[in-house]
Amino acid sequence: MHLRYQILEKIRGSKKAVSGQALSNELNITRTAIWKHIKQLRKEGYNITAKPRVGYRLKKIPDLLLSQEIKRNLDTDFIGINIINYPKISSTISVAKRMAKKGFPDGTVIVAEQQTFGKGRLGRKWESPKGGIWASVILRPKMSPSEIVKLNMVVSLAIVKAIKDVTGIQTEIKWPNDVLYQGSKVAGVLTEVDTEIDSVNYAIVSFGINVNNKLDKLSANVQETATSIQEIKGKKVKRLALFSAILSYLEKLFIECQNSGCGEILREWKQVCLTIGQELTIKTVEKQYQGKAIDIDDLGRLVLDTDDGQTVALLSGDIVSS
Amino acid sequence: MHLRYQILEKIRGSKKAVSGQALSNELNITRTAIWKHIKQLRKEGYNITAKPRVGYRLKKIPDLLLSQEIKRNLDTDFIGINIINYPKISSTISVAKRMAKKGFPDGTVIVAEQQTFGKGRLGRKWESPKGGIWASVILRPKMSPSEIVKLNMVVSLAIVKAIKDVTGIQTEIKWPNDVLYQGSKVAGVLTEVDTEIDSVNYAIVSFGINVNNKLDKLSANVQETATSIQEIKGKKVKRLALFSAILSYLEKLFIECQNSGCGEILREWKQVCLTIGQELTIKTVEKQYQGKAIDIDDLGRLVLDTDDGQTVALLSGDIVSS
């Protein structure tokens, strides 16, 4: 651990103020060096008071997705062993892909306070102002490419469960990959994979969540369909707690899916999926379908009874009206 | 076209020697400049003679996979509009991926005389000394990820057809992606894709062909199973003609597969596939199977009657004994 985080942990762990001299003795560096590290921690957003002859005290940790803070709440085995956080970045997906290619390990997490070129499905833009959670996780699943849709379900279910645990809010899933609250979008999930014919080199699972970001910073057409957790709750929520909870669920569900199959996950996912039972128009990359959604099958496909009397199973698509 | 290739084409197109003065007049540059370009062309491998008071004459083009030479023989619409050739490169796949991500267009070809880190299936090494053909093509197919196996079939069939046309040699395909001659490996194919759940961002189809490369430059264990076209034919063959033929077939079959389905391609592929009918042991990423190969299905999967009485369809795997 970097020296300044060692200092941080010593201050954090103490109910009383910690004197510069005590820190200097314990860590075997000068009091001037201690002071410099405190200044750096303040720059990062930590509210640390310094009283002459009394010492340092941690008043408040910042509501920033700093890797050392996220890790404090994680009970995972591999997701989040590596966390890289950025104040501002083009897109966590691009960075994650580059890192995956370079060999960064399974479970590496990339998170940003802001994205300048956030990416949605099919090359669309994803608006990512300050206050949300914009993140990607590198996974190296032992699955065949055709099973990758299960990762998508794992991620959206992890988000729904974590939001419920941390805020008490019950959200729902709109197939294939949006998380909604009373019809408005709270979060989106995007899974990209690099594969050979039958094996996955790596997968990048990404998600964007409107948490404490101001909705009026979103463009007009996004505002129409979006909401945020702060908006629902009526007050700011702790992003750190939420993000840690998501990563914990993500690992738990991912391991369950790999080891015991995804049957139970599919069952839970269907319970919170609001798409089943709806009359829909769905646009896929190739075609448009109209009909009634009757189920999600074992492969994560939406089963649709079309108006012209056929039953089709769709792996993905846009619900254009419902 | 670069000035020196304009000079090259003028010399190439003339039965008689072309005087420096004539070139100088036509291209409106000094004779000294002409001379410098000729020197550069010679450096690239062109054998150009220069006789005082007579002029320049092209004696021989090099047997190098230079983009301007490949393009001369191409009758394609989009494959090979961009060709980038390298004397030596880590791996054409890595470079092609980087370029695909940067937005290089559908049909961009990367080819190298030598690869220092040539890549085979599942992260294996592919030995790539001078004299072979080591190439990758960026494709942006409008297919779902599950159909990508068809690209693999398109590439291997293109190679078999081009080898037959250019050299008269009839090779065979060992499922899923090797081209053999009498049991020894002549070529290998590797397809990698970058996808979302239901759409392909890009595919990189790559192949390595032992053409005129010396077999004793390959490591001992590769020598055991490999052969080269030169070895089969008893003399060197024109790599340029072969490579151009492969790219032409690749485009023709790819377009056919996208527009009219891959039924006819599958039928042709099966005719040259030596795996059907064999008693095999196959290792997949997860499992090992033993049985008799009875067919290749519409999805490109090997259908196997296993010794314990089941029928399985495998998307890929290694034939460990036959």
Side-chain angles (χ1 to χ4, degrees):
Chain A
M1 193 165 22
H2 191 284
L3 208 53
R4 76 170 172 277
Y5 298 128
Q6 293 182 40
I7 295 171
L8 177 66
E9 291 316 302
K10 296 213 179 288
I11 307 178
R12 194 200 302 260
S14 168
K15 281 181 184 167
K16 294 190 296 184
V18 183
S19 74
Q21 189 58 56
L23 289 168
S24 163
N25 293 343
E26 273 192 79
L27 297 167
N28 205 23
I29 54 172
T30 67
R31 293 186 60 171
T32 318
I34 300 278
W35 177 240
K36 279 186 185 161
H37 287 302
I38 295 285
K39 259 171 58 179
Q40 186 55 40
L41 286 168
R42 283 177 176 165
K43 237 190 207 163
E44 288 183 13
Y46 292 93
N47 182 348
I48 298 172
T49 57
K51 255 193 188 159
R53 265 169 307 249
V54 178
Y56 301 110
R57 192 188 275 270
L58 177 63
K59 282 289 190 190
K60 204 166 169 233
I61 63 166
D63 185 38
L64 292 174
L65 302 171
L66 301 169
S67 63
Q68 67 274 12
E69 297 298 331
I70 302 163
K71 282 184 182 175
R72 289 181 58 80
N73 294 300
L74 274 183
D75 55 353
T76 54
D77 283 332
F78 72 97
I79 289 184
I81 296 301
N82 263 300
I83 301 178
I84 298 116
N85 65 287
Y86 295 88
K88 199 191 252 188
I89 201 179
S90 61
S91 115
T92 59
I93 298 179
S94 321
V95 173
K97 276 188 172 178
R98 213 152 54 223
M99 294 173 71
K101 192 157 302 176
K102 280 191 187 150
F104 274 73
D106 203 10
T108 299
V109 174
I110 317 295
V111 59
E113 297 294 336
Q114 260 182 295
Q115 295 181 115
T116 50
F117 291 96
K119 232 187 111 180
R121 275 180 57 217
L122 304 171
R124 290 170 198 152
K125 211 184 146 187
W126 181 276
E127 299 184 21
S128 323
K130 272 189 194 174
I133 297 178
W134 327 115
S136 294
V137 183
I138 298 172
L139 294 176
R140 301 186 183 276
K142 283 180 190 49
M143 291 176 168
S144 79
S146 63
E147 292 178 302
I148 285 300
V149 67
K150 293 174 182 169
L151 284 186
N152 222 29
M153 304 182 88
V154 159
V155 181
S156 47
L157 189 60
I159 292 173
V160 169
K161 281 172 171 280
I163 291 178
K164 174 82 176 154
D165 278 10
V166 174
T167 70
I169 297 166
Q170 181 65 58
T171 51
E172 297 178 299
I173 292 170
K174 179 180 162 194
W175 178 90
N177 55 1
D178 286 336
V179 176
L180 305 189
Y181 178 76
Q182 296 183 353
S184 297
K185 201 193 285 203
V186 175
V189 171
L190 177 61
T191 299
E192 293 199 44
V193 270
D194 182 288
T195 71
E196 294 179 25
I197 297 298
D198 65 334
S199 68
V200 174
N201 295 328
Y202 58 81
I204 308 292
V205 298
S206 303
F207 47 94
I209 309 178
N210 294 317
V211 188
N212 299 328
N213 45 313
K214 297 206 177 74
L215 293 179
D216 58 12
K217 295 266 159 140
L218 301 174
S219 62
N221 63 327
V222 174
Q223 278 183 48
E224 267 180 43
T225 56
T227 187
S228 70
I229 297 183
Q230 179 179 3
E231 172 96 358
I232 303 165
K233 195 80 184 166
K235 62 177 185 187
K236 288 205 176 194
V237 294
K238 292 204 164 73
R239 288 188 305 151
L240 264 173
L242 180 58
F243 189 50
S244 302
I246 291 169
L247 296 180
S248 297
Y249 270 120
L250 182 58
E251 177 171 299
K252 186 175 161 290
L253 295 173
F254 176 65
I255 290 173
E256 179 186 327
C257 191
Q258 286 238 116
N259 296 353
S260 333
C262 301
E264 175 58 20
I265 288 163
L266 178 63
R267 204 186 57 74
E268 282 195 71
W269 198 89
K270 282 203 240 181
Q271 277 178 356
V272 293
C273 176
L274 56 80
T275 310
I276 300 168
Q278 285 188 334
E279 296 284 344
L280 304 169
T281 304
I282 297 182
K283 230 171 139 171
T284 69
V285 177
E286 296 107 11
K287 227 169 145 173
Q288 185 158 310
Y289 298 91
Q290 207 146 5
K292 187 175 179 176
I294 56 168
D295 196 12
I296 308 288
D297 71 10
D298 290 355
L299 300 171
R301 297 179 303 185
L302 184 73
V303 184
L304 197 73
D305 270 353
T306 65
D307 291 352
D308 55 0
Q310 290 185 299
T311 302
V312 295
L314 305 174
L315 202 49
S316 180
D318 289 316
I319 298 177
V320 289
S321 81
S322 65
Chain B
M1 193 165 23
H2 192 285
L3 209 53
R4 76 169 171 277
Y5 298 128
Q6 292 181 39
I7 296 171
L8 177 65
E9 290 316 303
K10 294 208 181 290
I11 308 178
R12 195 201 299 262
S14 167
K15 281 182 183 166
K16 295 190 294 184
V18 183
S19 74
Q21 189 59 53
L23 289 167
S24 164
N25 293 345
E26 272 191 80
L27 297 166
N28 205 22
I29 53 172
T30 66
R31 293 187 59 169
T32 318
I34 300 279
W35 175 241
K36 278 187 185 160
H37 287 301
I38 295 284
K39 258 171 61 180
Q40 186 54 41
L41 287 167
R42 282 179 177 162
K43 235 190 206 164
E44 287 182 15
Y46 291 91
N47 182 348
I48 298 172
T49 57
K51 253 190 187 162
R53 263 167 309 246
V54 179
Y56 301 110
R57 192 188 275 270
L58 176 63
K59 282 289 191 190
K60 206 169 168 227
I61 62 166
D63 186 38
L64 291 173
L65 302 171
L66 301 170
S67 64
Q68 68 274 13
E69 297 298 331
I70 302 163
K71 281 183 183 176
R72 289 181 60 81
N73 294 300
L74 274 181
D75 55 353
T76 54
D77 283 333
F78 71 99
I79 290 185
I81 295 299
N82 265 298
I83 301 177
I84 299 116
N85 64 288
Y86 295 89
K88 200 192 252 190
I89 202 180
S90 60
S91 113
T92 59
I93 299 179
S94 322
V95 173
K97 276 188 172 178
R98 213 151 54 222
M99 294 174 70
K101 192 157 303 175
K102 282 192 185 149
F104 274 73
D106 202 10
T108 299
V109 174
I110 318 294
V111 59
E113 297 294 336
Q114 260 182 294
Q115 294 182 116
T116 50
F117 290 97
K119 233 187 109 181
R121 276 179 57 216
L122 305 170
R124 291 169 197 152
K125 210 185 147 189
W126 181 276
E127 300 184 19
S128 324
K130 272 189 195 174
I133 296 177
W134 327 113
S136 293
V137 182
I138 298 172
L139 294 176
R140 303 186 181 277
K142 282 178 193 50
M143 290 177 169
S144 79
S146 63
E147 292 178 300
I148 286 301
V149 66
K150 293 174 184 171
L151 285 187
N152 221 27
M153 303 183 90
V154 159
V155 182
S156 47
L157 189 59
I159 292 173
V160 169
K161 280 171 171 282
I163 291 178
K164 174 80 176 156
D165 278 9
V166 175
T167 71
I169 297 167
Q170 181 65 58
T171 52
E172 296 179 300
I173 293 171
K174 179 180 163 194
W175 178 91
N177 56 0
D178 286 336
V179 175
L180 306 188
Y181 179 76
Q182 296 183 353
S184 297
K185 200 192 289 203
V186 175
V189 172
L190 177 61
T191 299
E192 295 200 41
V193 270
D194 182 286
T195 72
E196 294 179 26
I197 297 298
D198 65 334
S199 68
V200 174
N201 295 328
Y202 57 81
I204 308 291
V205 298
S206 304
F207 47 92
I209 309 178
N210 294 317
V211 188
N212 299 328
N213 46 312
K214 297 209 176 72
L215 294 178
D216 59 12
K217 294 266 158 136
L218 301 173
S219 62
N221 62 329
V222 174
Q223 278 185 47
E224 266 180 43
T225 56
T227 187
S228 69
I229 297 184
Q230 179 179 3
E231 172 96 358
I232 303 165
K233 194 81 184 163
K235 61 177 185 188
K236 289 206 177 191
V237 293
K238 292 205 164 69
R239 289 187 308 150
L240 265 173
L242 181 57
F243 189 50
S244 302
I246 291 169
L247 296 180
S248 297
Y249 270 120
L250 182 57
E251 177 171 300
K252 185 175 162 289
L253 296 172
F254 176 65
I255 291 174
E256 179 186 326
C257 192
Q258 286 240 113
N259 295 354
S260 333
C262 302
E264 175 57 22
I265 288 162
L266 178 62
R267 202 186 59 73
E268 283 196 69
W269 198 89
K270 282 202 240 181
Q271 277 179 356
V272 293
C273 175
L274 56 81
T275 310
I276 301 168
Q278 285 188 335
E279 296 283 346
L280 305 168
T281 304
I282 298 182
K283 232 171 140 169
T284 70
V285 176
E286 296 106 11
K287 226 170 146 172
Q288 184 158 310
Y289 297 91
Q290 208 147 5
K292 187 173 178 178
I294 56 166
D295 197 11
I296 309 290
D297 71 11
D298 289 355
L299 301 171
R301 298 180 303 187
L302 185 72
V303 184
L304 197 73
D305 270 353
T306 65
D307 291 353
D308 55 2
Q310 290 185 299
T311 302
V312 295
L314 306 174
L315 204 48
S316 181
D318 289 316
I319 298 176
V320 289
S321 80
S322 64

